[in-house]
Amino acid sequence: MYSVRMRAEKDGKHISGAERITDDIMPAAQSLIERAISHEKGKPDFINISLEELKSPIKKITSLPLILAHVSNVSEGRTLAKKLLLDKGIPLFCVEKAINLLENGAAEGESMRGAVIMDIHGERLEPDKQRGIRASRMDITEDAAAELARSIEEAGLGQYYGYISEALVLATKVASVKGTIAELCWSDDPSYTAGYVASGKGYVRIPHLKPPGNPLGGRVFFVNGIDLDSYIHEMEKTPILVNRFGGIKELKNETADT
Ligand code: WAQ
Ligand code: MG
């Protein structure tokens, strides 16, 4: 199997990135190039495609369950995200710092290419604060993707399949790395307002985490007790393939237990 990866830039700024794990490298590379040149953030002037045979064994895992939350605006979405993170034991000041970073652009006012790693003291551990850490070498099998697609269709979210499947695979990998407590994410694509809070228990999809038209987004991996080098190595290098879909459900009314 090969890792096929794409990243695209314009004027030195990151536009998009995506990847596959496959033996079928030609169609994979072609579809990644198509993605790169049709991104809403602009037409890239630099596209990097890399192909690499995977030498280490590929870990097969079941995706996190997809849990659908219903909120009607950004304020409700952020309140829910905060609550979910606090429930994971992350201190309030860390949660607030993370939200502020994503809101204001964690790379000196712009979105990072990768993620912030934050410990429970609120320290940023990623060595490069512009780039961040990129989870990499992950994909989903055709069977699992078909099952996920069916569930998403039934939930009326079919038009978002591409976003949801990619984010679910990424969040599944992030949650699988030892030391991850939770992840907070929302998109940097101006038109896409959804994001999620994920942990080993599931991926809670929140439809509104930023207002439409806003080009800032990002990811924060909340961690505890990690060895930084091995954490980063596993996040970037260990290949994982999601071979089963972990199911879909609705989030129960969150105000009931507060
Ligand atoms: N590893 C770490 N961080 C990443 C990666 C990666 N492989 N890819 C992107 N990021 C960071 C980076 O800071 C981006 O600016 C930010 O995440 C957002 O990336 O409906 O579209 O690819 O359930 O814009 C989530 C909701 C959508 C999906 C996420 O992310 C749903 C999304 P994007
Ligand atoms: Mg994006």
Side-chain angles (χ1 to χ4, degrees):
M1 297 281 259
Y2 287 81
S3 160
V4 185
R5 283 170 289 143
M6 173 280 287
R7 72 184 169 85
E9 293 180 359
K10 182 184 170 65
D11 301 326
K13 283 186 196 155
H14 179 71
I15 290 182
S16 73
E19 57 181 87
R20 300 267 84 91
I21 291 177
T22 180
D23 279 325
D24 244 350
I25 55 180
M26 293 303 274
Q30 179 158 359
S31 73
L32 289 173
I33 293 168
E34 277 162 9
R35 284 263 309 257
I37 61 177
S38 57
H39 200 275
E40 69 168 283
K41 292 195 115 177
K43 194 165 180 292
D45 55 20
F46 175 85
I47 300 172
N48 183 346
I49 297 283
S50 66
L51 296 162
E52 179 197 2
E53 191 183 357
L54 292 170
K55 297 284 200 301
S56 43
I58 300 170
K59 237 201 256 178
K60 309 260 168 58
I61 56 178
T62 300
S63 84
L64 298 174
L66 172 56
I67 303 167
L68 303 177
H70 301 281
V71 297
S72 39
N73 53 50
V74 176
S75 158
E76 284 181 26
R78 296 260 177 107
T79 301
L80 174 60
K82 269 189 207 166
K83 178 181 187 305
L84 293 167
L85 292 166
L86 291 172
D87 286 350
K88 289 285 140 199
I90 299 161
L92 178 62
F93 81 97
C94 296
V95 173
E96 285 177 342
K97 181 172 176 180
I99 290 175
N100 285 338
L101 280 169
L102 298 198
E103 177 165 75
N104 298 317
E108 291 168 6
E110 294 188 7
S111 295
M112 295 165 81
R113 238 171 80 198
V116 171
I117 303 181
M118 188 181 287
D119 70 14
I120 54 164
H121 309 291
E123 296 295 327
R124 288 176 71 171
L125 306 181
E126 71 283 7
D128 180 337
K129 308 276 180 292
Q130 296 280 327
R131 177 184 181 274
I133 294 305
R134 282 188 68 86
S136 182
R137 293 167 177 80
M138 65 236 167
D139 204 347
I140 183 167
T141 61
E142 268 179 40
D143 286 354
E147 206 186 326
L148 171 63
R150 213 176 312 122
S151 299
I152 290 175
E153 282 293 339
E154 277 169 18
L157 297 170
Q159 58 178 312
Y160 308 126
Y161 170 74
Y163 277 100
I164 297 173
S165 64
E166 250 174 40
L168 183 64
V169 169
L170 191 151
T172 299
K173 167 148 198 185
V174 171
S176 79
V177 177
K178 195 167 156 272
T180 303
I181 310 171
E183 179 190 355
L184 169 68
C185 163
W186 67 80
S187 182
D188 61 2
D189 299 8
S191 66
Y192 204 69
T193 63
Y196 61 85
V197 170
S199 71
K201 287 264 170 67
Y203 171 109
V204 181
R205 178 177 196 269
I206 304 173
H208 304 283
L209 279 178
K210 72 166 189 192
N214 183 320
L216 297 174
R219 286 182 154 91
V220 178
F221 303 161
F222 295 93
V223 300
N224 194 11
I226 59 164
D227 173 76
L228 186 61
D229 288 343
S230 39
Y231 185 83
I232 292 173
H233 186 268
E234 188 170 349
M235 199 58 82
E236 293 182 335
K237 298 283 170 17
T238 308
I240 73 129
L241 194 56
V242 170
N243 67 346
R244 291 183 56 193
F245 172 48
I248 191 164
K249 58 186 176 196
E250 307 276 326
L251 186 69
K252 297 275 180 303
N253 184 359
E254 277 297 312
T255 52
D257 61 335
T258 52

